[in-house]
């Protein structure tokens, strides 16, 4: 099948559309096209994917934060890039080579991912926020499915994540109407874990990220794996899967340290192993 240039993925050597920083066990990926509300281009998807691969490989990374520069989290697909495609363009290929890889990389990364939703999250930008394990939102954040506004159906995993988080009827309403949801309503719906004043967002997310980065990283990763699997299992299958995963968790250094620390009545010092 012919590939559109906008579908071709290469690994970038340096980042131009994201900021990537690792400190105290926390990797922060900042979407960095503030003048376009961090709209997603092929380049930003490639760079995010490369950053996520580093997060997966680097044992120093024990938690990941994704956020946006400026007043938005992300306005979704850059519609200007979209407008420039030629007749050979296949949207399905564009999705497969871009958002599918990103969303799956986030889903499969066995480390916690926090979305610090600093402003509007729309379309595939919402897709990225929903693919995180937790969403902490500023009181200035908003959520717009946006697909229907341009006559599209959901993509970037929104059909999968949204109905699991808020139920199928509410998911349908937000997808079919494109209604913008503010931060407080998002909290009521279960779309976000917490809403904080805009000026406290960074501090709140950093505090939680550092707490998670000091946790038993393998146990947290196995927890994520178990929840992901259980979502599509019967209870009997989930019980069996939990038993198998517990065999792995029980053999981690951090489990030994956790038990020892409890018996010695001291705080555990987890190393992520
Ligand atoms: O192949 C595929 O990948 C298909 C996949 C599609 C996945 C999708 O993500 S589809 C959905 C795409 N996104 C949208 O349709 C959202 C479009 N944007 C908006 O509806 C609004 O901008 C927002 C609700 C997000 C924010 O509204 P507001 O009033 O706060 O800001 P604004 O004034 O509309 O935007 C500020 C600037 O950002 C403006 O540029 P200007 O006038 O200052 O030069 C605007 O054009 C630009 N901008 C906003 N969103 C996008 C964008 N530029 C390119 N692409 C965007 N998505």
């Amino acid at each position: 099948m012919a590939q559109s240039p906008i579908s071709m993925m290469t690994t970038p050597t340096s980042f131009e559309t994201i900021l990537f920083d690792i400190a105290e066990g926390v990797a922060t990926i900042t979407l960095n096209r503030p003048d376009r509300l961090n709209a997603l281009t092929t380049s930003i998807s490639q760079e995010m994917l490369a950053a996520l691969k580093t997060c997966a490989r680097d044992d120093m990374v024990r938690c990941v934060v994704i956020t946006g520069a400026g007043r938005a989290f992300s306005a979704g697909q850059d519609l200007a890039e979209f407008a420039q495609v030629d007749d050979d363009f296949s949207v399905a290929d564009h999705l497969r080579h871009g958002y599918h890889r990103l969303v799956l990389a986030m889903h499969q990364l066995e480390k916690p991912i926090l979305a610090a939703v600093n402003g509007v999250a729309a379309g595939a930008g919402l897709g990225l926020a929903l693919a995180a394990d937790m969403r902490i939102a500023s009181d200035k954040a908003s959520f717009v499915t946006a697909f229907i506004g341009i006559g599209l159906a959901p993509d970037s995993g929104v059909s999968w994540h949204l109905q699991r988080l808020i139920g199928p009827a509410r998911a349908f309403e937000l997808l079919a109407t494109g209604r913008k949801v503010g931060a407080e309503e998002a909290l009521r719906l279960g779309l976000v874990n917490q809403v904080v004043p805009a000026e406290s967002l960074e501090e709140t997310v950093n505090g939680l990220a550092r707490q998670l980065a000091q946790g038993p990283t393998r146990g947290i990763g196995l927890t994520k794996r178990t929840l992901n699997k259980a979502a599509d299992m019967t209870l009997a299958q989930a019980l069996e899967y939990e038993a198998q995963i517990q065999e792995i968790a029980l053999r981690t250094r951090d489990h030994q340290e956790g038990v020892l620390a409890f018996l010695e009545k001291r705080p555990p010092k987890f190393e992520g192993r």
Side-chain angles (χ1 to χ4, degrees):
M1 193 183 296
Q3 246 190 7
S4 153
I6 113 167
S7 297
M8 293 206 240
M9 301 290 281
T10 52
T11 304
T13 49
S14 63
F15 297 129
E16 290 175 357
T17 55
I18 63 167
L19 304 173
F20 184 53
D21 163 73
I22 302 176
E24 295 179 55
V26 179
T28 303
I29 299 172
T30 306
L31 306 174
N32 193 28
R33 300 183 70 226
D35 54 328
R36 299 285 90 194
L37 303 189
N38 304 315
L40 303 167
T41 55
T42 301
S43 164
I44 216 167
S45 294
Q46 288 175 338
E47 293 188 356
M48 269 193 83
L49 190 62
L52 286 167
K53 282 184 180 166
T54 300
C55 294
R57 268 196 311 265
D58 188 342
D59 288 343
M60 299 293 283
V61 175
R62 294 169 64 185
C63 181
V64 179
V65 173
I66 299 178
T67 192
R71 71 177 176 92
F73 180 78
S74 170
Q77 171 63 40
D78 188 312
L79 297 176
E81 181 183 69
F82 214 42
Q84 287 167 8
V85 295
D86 55 29
D87 289 346
D88 293 337
F89 175 69
S90 157
V91 70
D93 281 346
H94 182 233
L95 294 170
R96 288 182 191 115
H97 291 284
Y99 300 129
H100 292 197
R101 290 179 183 178
L102 260 181
V103 168
L104 286 173
M106 291 174 70
H107 189 74
Q108 289 160 0
L109 183 69
E110 293 202 347
K111 298 174 183 180
I113 303 180
L114 307 182
V117 188
N118 51 306
V120 65
L126 175 65
L128 295 183
L130 299 187
D133 301 306
M134 290 175 67
R135 283 150 295 284
I136 313 298
S138 135
D139 55 4
K140 294 201 165 66
S142 57
F143 301 83
V144 199
T145 57
F147 302 99
I148 208 67
I150 54 171
L152 293 182
D155 61 28
S156 59
V158 171
S159 64
W160 199 87
H161 282 118
L162 190 62
Q163 64 175 317
R164 279 171 167 76
L165 283 167
I166 67 172
R170 288 183 174 131
F172 178 80
E173 181 209 332
L174 297 187
L175 286 163
T177 65
R179 179 169 74 78
K180 187 187 272 193
V181 168
E184 287 302 332
E185 184 184 357
L187 184 63
R188 281 198 303 277
L189 290 175
L191 205 50
V192 301
N193 296 72
Q194 193 181 348
V195 176
V196 298
E199 55 278 13
S200 321
L201 181 66
E202 196 176 328
E203 190 189 342
T204 305
V205 171
N206 284 346
L208 178 59
R210 272 161 188 57
Q211 181 193 330
L212 287 166
Q214 286 165 17
T217 308
R218 297 231 35 229
I220 293 173
L222 291 169
T223 299
K224 182 166 169 176
R225 195 196 298 180
T226 309
L227 282 173
N228 287 345
K229 283 274 190 186
D232 300 314
M233 283 178 167
T234 63
L235 175 60
Q237 288 168 332
L239 287 166
E240 177 53 30
Y241 193 71
E242 286 174 356
Q244 290 173 22
I245 291 295
Q246 211 65 300
E247 289 283 8
I248 302 172
L250 193 96
R251 285 167 176 75
T252 60
R253 288 261 197 105
D254 283 342
H255 169 63
Q256 290 167 13
E257 164 62 8
V259 174
L260 204 61
F262 176 79
L263 296 176
E264 292 173 358
K265 300 190 188 301
R266 61 170 173 82
K269 191 169 174 354
F270 295 123
E271 292 175 356
R273 291 189 285 166

